[in-house]
mmCIF file of all heavy atoms in Angstrom:
data_model
loop_
_atom_site.group_PDB
_atom_site.id
_atom_site.type_symbol
_atom_site.label_atom_id
_atom_site.label_comp_id
_atom_site.label_asym_id
_atom_site.label_seq_id
_atom_site.Cartn_x
_atom_site.Cartn_y
_atom_site.Cartn_z
ATOM 1 N N SER X 108 -26.106 37.553 2.854
ATOM 2 C CA SER X 108 -26.730 38.561 3.761
ATOM 3 C C SER X 108 -28.057 39.088 3.249
ATOM 4 O O SER X 108 -28.291 39.476 2.084
ATOM 5 C CB SER X 108 -25.769 39.764 3.972
ATOM 6 O OG SER X 108 -26.399 40.765 4.762
ATOM 7 N N LYS X 109 -29.052 39.030 4.215
ATOM 8 C CA LYS X 109 -30.431 39.611 3.840
ATOM 9 C C LYS X 109 -30.536 41.036 4.210
ATOM 10 O O LYS X 109 -31.144 41.773 3.435
ATOM 11 C CB LYS X 109 -31.459 38.811 4.625
ATOM 12 C CG LYS X 109 -31.425 37.334 4.451
ATOM 13 C CD LYS X 109 -31.800 36.961 2.982
ATOM 14 C CE LYS X 109 -31.987 35.344 2.906
ATOM 15 N NZ LYS X 109 -30.795 34.595 3.173
ATOM 16 N N SER X 110 -29.829 41.517 5.282
ATOM 17 C CA SER X 110 -29.947 42.970 5.643
ATOM 18 C C SER X 110 -28.963 43.820 4.792
ATOM 19 O O SER X 110 -29.041 45.016 4.872
ATOM 20 C CB SER X 110 -29.640 43.107 7.105
ATOM 21 O OG SER X 110 -28.357 42.823 7.387
ATOM 22 N N ARG X 111 -27.997 43.148 4.119
ATOM 23 C CA ARG X 111 -26.996 43.887 3.396
ATOM 24 C C ARG X 111 -25.998 44.518 4.259
ATOM 25 O O ARG X 111 -25.326 45.527 3.924
ATOM 26 C CB ARG X 111 -27.558 44.830 2.382
ATOM 27 C CG ARG X 111 -28.675 44.342 1.537
ATOM 28 C CD ARG X 111 -28.411 42.964 0.895
ATOM 29 N NE ARG X 111 -27.406 43.049 -0.166
ATOM 30 C CZ ARG X 111 -26.720 42.044 -0.660
ATOM 31 N NH1 ARG X 111 -26.896 40.842 -0.077
ATOM 32 N NH2 ARG X 111 -25.862 42.158 -1.563
ATOM 33 N N ARG X 112 -25.934 44.126 5.548
ATOM 34 C CA ARG X 112 -24.936 44.618 6.502
ATOM 35 C C ARG X 112 -24.041 43.482 6.988
ATOM 36 O O ARG X 112 -24.527 42.541 7.538
ATOM 37 C CB ARG X 112 -25.493 45.313 7.743
ATOM 38 C CG ARG X 112 -26.093 46.700 7.473
ATOM 39 C CD ARG X 112 -26.567 47.257 8.721
ATOM 40 N NE ARG X 112 -27.136 48.579 8.615
ATOM 41 C CZ ARG X 112 -26.499 49.759 8.758
ATOM 42 N NH1 ARG X 112 -25.247 49.706 9.104
ATOM 43 N NH2 ARG X 112 -27.125 50.872 8.593
ATOM 44 N N VAL X 113 -22.743 43.531 6.675
ATOM 45 C CA VAL X 113 -21.790 42.490 6.927
ATOM 46 C C VAL X 113 -20.630 43.092 7.736
ATOM 47 O O VAL X 113 -20.203 44.126 7.358
ATOM 48 C CB VAL X 113 -21.336 41.737 5.614
ATOM 49 C CG1 VAL X 113 -20.208 40.843 5.912
ATOM 50 C CG2 VAL X 113 -22.473 41.123 4.861
ATOM 51 N N SER X 114 -20.214 42.309 8.718
ATOM 52 C CA SER X 114 -19.008 42.762 9.407
ATOM 53 C C SER X 114 -17.850 41.711 9.126
ATOM 54 O O SER X 114 -18.217 40.489 9.064
ATOM 55 C CB SER X 114 -19.231 42.894 10.934
ATOM 56 O OG SER X 114 -20.029 44.041 11.171
ATOM 57 N N VAL X 115 -16.620 42.206 9.018
ATOM 58 C CA VAL X 115 -15.420 41.306 8.934
ATOM 59 C C VAL X 115 -14.625 41.446 10.144
ATOM 60 O O VAL X 115 -14.051 42.531 10.403
ATOM 61 C CB VAL X 115 -14.614 41.716 7.649
ATOM 62 C CG1 VAL X 115 -13.388 40.844 7.550
ATOM 63 C CG2 VAL X 115 -15.515 41.662 6.422
ATOM 64 N N LEU X 116 -14.539 40.406 10.961
ATOM 65 C CA LEU X 116 -13.905 40.397 12.227
ATOM 66 C C LEU X 116 -12.453 39.716 11.974
ATOM 67 O O LEU X 116 -12.468 38.538 11.756
ATOM 68 C CB LEU X 116 -14.650 39.716 13.283
ATOM 69 C CG LEU X 116 -13.984 39.678 14.722
ATOM 70 C CD1 LEU X 116 -13.700 40.894 15.269
ATOM 71 C CD2 LEU X 116 -14.914 38.800 15.568
ATOM 72 N N GLY X 117 -11.424 40.461 12.065
ATOM 73 C CA GLY X 117 -10.052 39.916 11.815
ATOM 74 C C GLY X 117 -9.117 40.582 12.722
ATOM 75 O O GLY X 117 -9.475 41.374 13.631
ATOM 76 N N THR X 118 -7.858 40.231 12.529
ATOM 77 C CA THR X 118 -6.737 40.932 13.272
ATOM 78 C C THR X 118 -6.565 42.280 12.670
ATOM 79 O O THR X 118 -7.085 42.612 11.494
ATOM 80 C CB THR X 118 -5.449 40.208 13.151
ATOM 81 O OG1 THR X 118 -5.015 40.217 11.792
ATOM 82 C CG2 THR X 118 -5.494 38.692 13.570
ATOM 83 N N ARG X 119 -5.908 43.150 13.405
ATOM 84 C CA ARG X 119 -5.785 44.580 12.845
ATOM 85 C C ARG X 119 -4.949 44.479 11.641
ATOM 86 O O ARG X 119 -5.205 45.279 10.689
ATOM 87 C CB ARG X 119 -5.041 45.405 13.930
ATOM 88 C CG ARG X 119 -5.851 45.584 15.104
ATOM 89 C CD ARG X 119 -5.151 46.327 16.209
ATOM 90 N NE ARG X 119 -5.973 46.712 17.388
ATOM 91 C CZ ARG X 119 -5.529 47.098 18.529
ATOM 92 N NH1 ARG X 119 -4.198 47.144 18.754
ATOM 93 N NH2 ARG X 119 -6.408 47.269 19.574
ATOM 94 N N GLY X 120 -4.006 43.554 11.444
ATOM 95 C CA GLY X 120 -3.201 43.457 10.310
ATOM 96 C C GLY X 120 -4.020 42.980 9.115
ATOM 97 O O GLY X 120 -3.910 43.591 7.999
ATOM 98 N N THR X 121 -4.983 42.075 9.295
ATOM 99 C CA THR X 121 -5.782 41.534 8.152
ATOM 100 C C THR X 121 -6.741 42.573 7.711
ATOM 101 O O THR X 121 -6.880 42.850 6.472
ATOM 102 C CB THR X 121 -6.546 40.325 8.621
ATOM 103 O OG1 THR X 121 -5.623 39.237 8.869
ATOM 104 C CG2 THR X 121 -7.501 39.849 7.485
ATOM 105 N N VAL X 122 -7.329 43.311 8.593
ATOM 106 C CA VAL X 122 -8.459 44.264 8.082
ATOM 107 C C VAL X 122 -7.765 45.512 7.461
ATOM 108 O O VAL X 122 -8.499 46.203 6.670
ATOM 109 C CB VAL X 122 -9.344 44.679 9.186
ATOM 110 C CG1 VAL X 122 -10.013 43.435 9.790
ATOM 111 C CG2 VAL X 122 -8.585 45.441 10.335
ATOM 112 N N LYS X 123 -6.563 45.825 7.673
ATOM 113 C CA LYS X 123 -6.025 47.026 7.074
ATOM 114 C C LYS X 123 -5.298 46.685 5.740
ATOM 115 O O LYS X 123 -4.824 47.576 5.037
ATOM 116 C CB LYS X 123 -5.006 47.724 8.067
ATOM 117 C CG LYS X 123 -3.623 46.894 8.147
ATOM 118 C CD LYS X 123 -2.737 47.694 9.079
ATOM 119 C CE LYS X 123 -1.405 46.979 9.313
ATOM 120 N NZ LYS X 123 -0.409 47.642 10.210
ATOM 121 N N ARG X 124 -5.172 45.417 5.396
ATOM 122 C CA ARG X 124 -4.461 45.035 4.075
ATOM 123 C C ARG X 124 -5.269 45.503 2.928
ATOM 124 O O ARG X 124 -6.471 45.416 2.843
ATOM 125 C CB ARG X 124 -4.385 43.504 4.071
ATOM 126 C CG ARG X 124 -3.589 42.838 5.148
ATOM 127 C CD ARG X 124 -2.094 42.871 4.848
ATOM 128 N NE ARG X 124 -1.460 42.166 5.941
ATOM 129 C CZ ARG X 124 -0.921 42.657 7.067
ATOM 130 N NH1 ARG X 124 -0.974 44.000 7.157
ATOM 131 N NH2 ARG X 124 -0.351 41.987 8.023
ATOM 132 N N GLU X 125 -4.505 45.877 1.942
ATOM 133 C CA GLU X 125 -5.108 46.300 0.643
ATOM 134 C C GLU X 125 -5.840 45.083 0.050
ATOM 135 O O GLU X 125 -6.864 45.256 -0.649
ATOM 136 C CB GLU X 125 -3.971 46.862 -0.319
ATOM 137 C CG GLU X 125 -4.560 47.265 -1.667
ATOM 138 C CD GLU X 125 -5.583 48.393 -1.626
ATOM 139 O OE1 GLU X 125 -5.526 49.186 -0.599
ATOM 140 O OE2 GLU X 125 -6.372 48.387 -2.490
ATOM 141 N N TYR X 126 -5.294 43.963 0.248
ATOM 142 C CA TYR X 126 -5.918 42.698 -0.302
ATOM 143 C C TYR X 126 -7.459 42.529 0.240
ATOM 144 O O TYR X 126 -8.325 42.247 -0.519
ATOM 145 C CB TYR X 126 -5.099 41.444 0.196
ATOM 146 C CG TYR X 126 -5.525 40.191 -0.415
ATOM 147 C CD1 TYR X 126 -4.857 39.586 -1.487
ATOM 148 C CD2 TYR X 126 -6.653 39.453 0.152
ATOM 149 C CE1 TYR X 126 -5.384 38.396 -2.035
ATOM 150 C CE2 TYR X 126 -7.069 38.263 -0.436
ATOM 151 C CZ TYR X 126 -6.372 37.746 -1.522
ATOM 152 O OH TYR X 126 -6.810 36.511 -2.109
ATOM 153 N N THR X 127 -7.586 42.836 1.517
ATOM 154 C CA THR X 127 -8.934 42.682 2.178
ATOM 155 C C THR X 127 -9.882 43.717 1.505
ATOM 156 O O THR X 127 -11.075 43.527 1.196
ATOM 157 C CB THR X 127 -8.866 42.882 3.609
ATOM 158 O OG1 THR X 127 -7.967 41.879 4.165
ATOM 159 C CG2 THR X 127 -10.200 42.741 4.212
ATOM 160 N N ARG X 128 -9.334 44.941 1.337
ATOM 161 C CA ARG X 128 -10.131 46.058 0.732
ATOM 162 C C ARG X 128 -10.494 45.794 -0.681
ATOM 163 O O ARG X 128 -11.621 46.139 -1.088
ATOM 164 C CB ARG X 128 -9.419 47.388 0.885
ATOM 165 C CG ARG X 128 -9.261 47.762 2.400
ATOM 166 C CD ARG X 128 -8.577 49.072 2.653
ATOM 167 N NE ARG X 128 -8.316 49.235 4.124
ATOM 168 C CZ ARG X 128 -9.220 49.688 4.990
ATOM 169 N NH1 ARG X 128 -10.375 49.851 4.627
ATOM 170 N NH2 ARG X 128 -8.883 49.711 6.213
ATOM 171 N N ARG X 129 -9.625 45.093 -1.393
ATOM 172 C CA ARG X 129 -9.925 44.690 -2.784
ATOM 173 C C ARG X 129 -11.078 43.662 -2.826
ATOM 174 O O ARG X 129 -11.970 43.710 -3.795
ATOM 175 C CB ARG X 129 -8.637 44.215 -3.576
ATOM 176 C CG ARG X 129 -7.706 45.265 -3.918
ATOM 177 C CD ARG X 129 -6.799 44.785 -5.084
ATOM 178 N NE ARG X 129 -6.118 43.536 -4.782
ATOM 179 C CZ ARG X 129 -4.977 43.464 -4.161
ATOM 180 N NH1 ARG X 129 -4.341 44.525 -3.753
ATOM 181 N NH2 ARG X 129 -4.436 42.315 -3.925
ATOM 182 N N LEU X 130 -11.046 42.778 -1.917
ATOM 183 C CA LEU X 130 -12.093 41.771 -1.815
ATOM 184 C C LEU X 130 -13.401 42.431 -1.612
ATOM 185 O O LEU X 130 -14.430 42.012 -2.249
ATOM 186 C CB LEU X 130 -11.745 40.830 -0.656
ATOM 187 C CG LEU X 130 -10.662 39.755 -0.890
ATOM 188 C CD1 LEU X 130 -10.552 38.964 0.511
ATOM 189 C CD2 LEU X 130 -11.017 38.799 -1.979
ATOM 190 N N ILE X 131 -13.482 43.415 -0.858
ATOM 191 C CA ILE X 131 -14.745 44.173 -0.559
ATOM 192 C C ILE X 131 -15.139 44.925 -1.831
ATOM 193 O O ILE X 131 -16.327 44.832 -2.289
ATOM 194 C CB ILE X 131 -14.528 45.144 0.534
ATOM 195 C CG1 ILE X 131 -14.346 44.345 1.908
ATOM 196 C CG2 ILE X 131 -15.711 46.085 0.775
ATOM 197 C CD1 ILE X 131 -13.936 45.286 3.067
ATOM 198 N N GLU X 132 -14.197 45.568 -2.480
ATOM 199 C CA GLU X 132 -14.474 46.272 -3.732
ATOM 200 C C GLU X 132 -15.013 45.259 -4.785
ATOM 201 O O GLU X 132 -15.953 45.600 -5.515
ATOM 202 C CB GLU X 132 -13.228 46.951 -4.307
ATOM 203 C CG GLU X 132 -12.880 48.137 -3.451
ATOM 204 C CD GLU X 132 -11.468 48.708 -3.838
ATOM 205 O OE1 GLU X 132 -10.972 48.190 -4.952
ATOM 206 O OE2 GLU X 132 -10.877 49.633 -3.295
ATOM 207 N N ASP X 133 -14.539 44.095 -4.849
ATOM 208 C CA ASP X 133 -14.858 43.116 -5.919
ATOM 209 C C ASP X 133 -16.144 42.377 -5.614
ATOM 210 O O ASP X 133 -16.912 41.981 -6.489
ATOM 211 C CB ASP X 133 -13.822 42.113 -6.091
ATOM 212 C CG ASP X 133 -12.515 42.814 -6.786
ATOM 213 O OD1 ASP X 133 -12.645 43.910 -7.335
ATOM 214 O OD2 ASP X 133 -11.382 42.095 -6.699
ATOM 215 N N PHE X 134 -16.352 42.089 -4.286
ATOM 216 C CA PHE X 134 -17.393 41.178 -3.941
ATOM 217 C C PHE X 134 -18.495 41.612 -2.891
ATOM 218 O O PHE X 134 -19.323 40.866 -2.515
ATOM 219 C CB PHE X 134 -16.794 39.859 -3.349
ATOM 220 C CG PHE X 134 -15.851 39.193 -4.337
ATOM 221 C CD1 PHE X 134 -14.519 39.108 -4.002
ATOM 222 C CD2 PHE X 134 -16.346 38.699 -5.583
ATOM 223 C CE1 PHE X 134 -13.634 38.475 -4.879
ATOM 224 C CE2 PHE X 134 -15.420 38.051 -6.392
ATOM 225 C CZ PHE X 134 -14.057 37.961 -6.137
ATOM 226 N N ALA X 135 -18.502 42.892 -2.603
ATOM 227 C CA ALA X 135 -19.488 43.341 -1.556
ATOM 228 C C ALA X 135 -20.867 43.335 -2.142
ATOM 229 O O ALA X 135 -21.869 43.178 -1.293
ATOM 230 C CB ALA X 135 -19.120 44.791 -1.104
ATOM 231 N N GLN X 136 -21.080 43.351 -3.370
ATOM 232 C CA GLN X 136 -22.450 43.237 -3.944
ATOM 233 C C GLN X 136 -23.452 44.162 -3.375
ATOM 234 O O GLN X 136 -24.545 43.775 -3.089
ATOM 235 C CB GLN X 136 -22.911 41.799 -3.879
ATOM 236 C CG GLN X 136 -21.888 40.776 -4.539
ATOM 237 C CD GLN X 136 -22.376 39.318 -4.308
ATOM 238 O OE1 GLN X 136 -23.474 38.989 -4.533
ATOM 239 N NE2 GLN X 136 -21.489 38.450 -3.906
ATOM 240 N N GLY X 137 -23.004 45.343 -3.137
ATOM 241 C CA GLY X 137 -24.063 46.330 -2.567
ATOM 242 C C GLY X 137 -24.142 46.338 -1.077
ATOM 243 O O GLY X 137 -24.919 47.170 -0.481
ATOM 244 N N CYS X 138 -23.374 45.460 -0.404
ATOM 245 C CA CYS X 138 -23.500 45.288 1.173
ATOM 246 C C CYS X 138 -22.654 46.412 1.729
ATOM 247 O O CYS X 138 -21.686 46.949 1.112
ATOM 248 C CB CYS X 138 -22.972 44.028 1.615
ATOM 249 S SG CYS X 138 -24.074 42.613 1.261
ATOM 250 N N GLU X 139 -23.096 46.886 2.904
ATOM 251 C CA GLU X 139 -22.275 47.769 3.739
ATOM 252 C C GLU X 139 -21.393 46.866 4.579
ATOM 253 O O GLU X 139 -21.888 46.061 5.409
ATOM 254 C CB GLU X 139 -23.206 48.668 4.615
ATOM 255 C CG GLU X 139 -22.314 49.618 5.465
ATOM 256 C CD GLU X 139 -23.234 50.512 6.386
ATOM 257 O OE1 GLU X 139 -24.316 50.844 5.804
ATOM 258 O OE2 GLU X 139 -22.870 50.808 7.427
ATOM 259 N N VAL X 140 -20.089 46.999 4.425
ATOM 260 C CA VAL X 140 -19.164 46.084 5.067
ATOM 261 C C VAL X 140 -18.319 46.894 6.095
ATOM 262 O O VAL X 140 -17.806 47.858 5.731
ATOM 263 C CB VAL X 140 -18.173 45.444 4.054
ATOM 264 C CG1 VAL X 140 -17.174 44.569 4.821
ATOM 265 C CG2 VAL X 140 -18.910 44.590 3.006
ATOM 266 N N THR X 141 -18.403 46.421 7.335
ATOM 267 C CA THR X 141 -17.774 47.077 8.442
ATOM 268 C C THR X 141 -16.485 46.167 8.759
ATOM 269 O O THR X 141 -16.641 45.006 9.064
ATOM 270 C CB THR X 141 -18.662 47.103 9.695
ATOM 271 O OG1 THR X 141 -19.787 47.876 9.402
ATOM 272 C CG2 THR X 141 -17.925 47.667 10.847
ATOM 273 N N LEU X 142 -15.357 46.774 8.703
ATOM 274 C CA LEU X 142 -14.066 46.109 9.105
ATOM 275 C C LEU X 142 -13.836 46.370 10.505
ATOM 276 O O LEU X 142 -13.764 47.450 11.039
ATOM 277 C CB LEU X 142 -12.936 46.625 8.250
ATOM 278 C CG LEU X 142 -12.899 46.364 6.754
ATOM 279 C CD1 LEU X 142 -11.868 47.040 6.070
ATOM 280 C CD2 LEU X 142 -12.818 44.789 6.600
#
Side-chain angles (χ1 to χ4, degrees):
S108 174
K109 302 296 191 295
S110 70
R111 316 308 291 162
R112 284 186 181 265
V113 173
S114 290
V115 178
L116 178 61
T118 66
R119 291 172 179 168
T121 294
V122 301
K123 74 178 183 183
R124 299 276 183 265
E125 179 61 27
Y126 187 98
T127 303
R128 298 184 185 277
R129 284 203 308 270
L130 288 175
I131 295 172
E132 292 174 3
D133 292 343
F134 300 118
Q136 304 178 45
C138 287
E139 180 178 326
V140 179
T141 300
L142 290 171

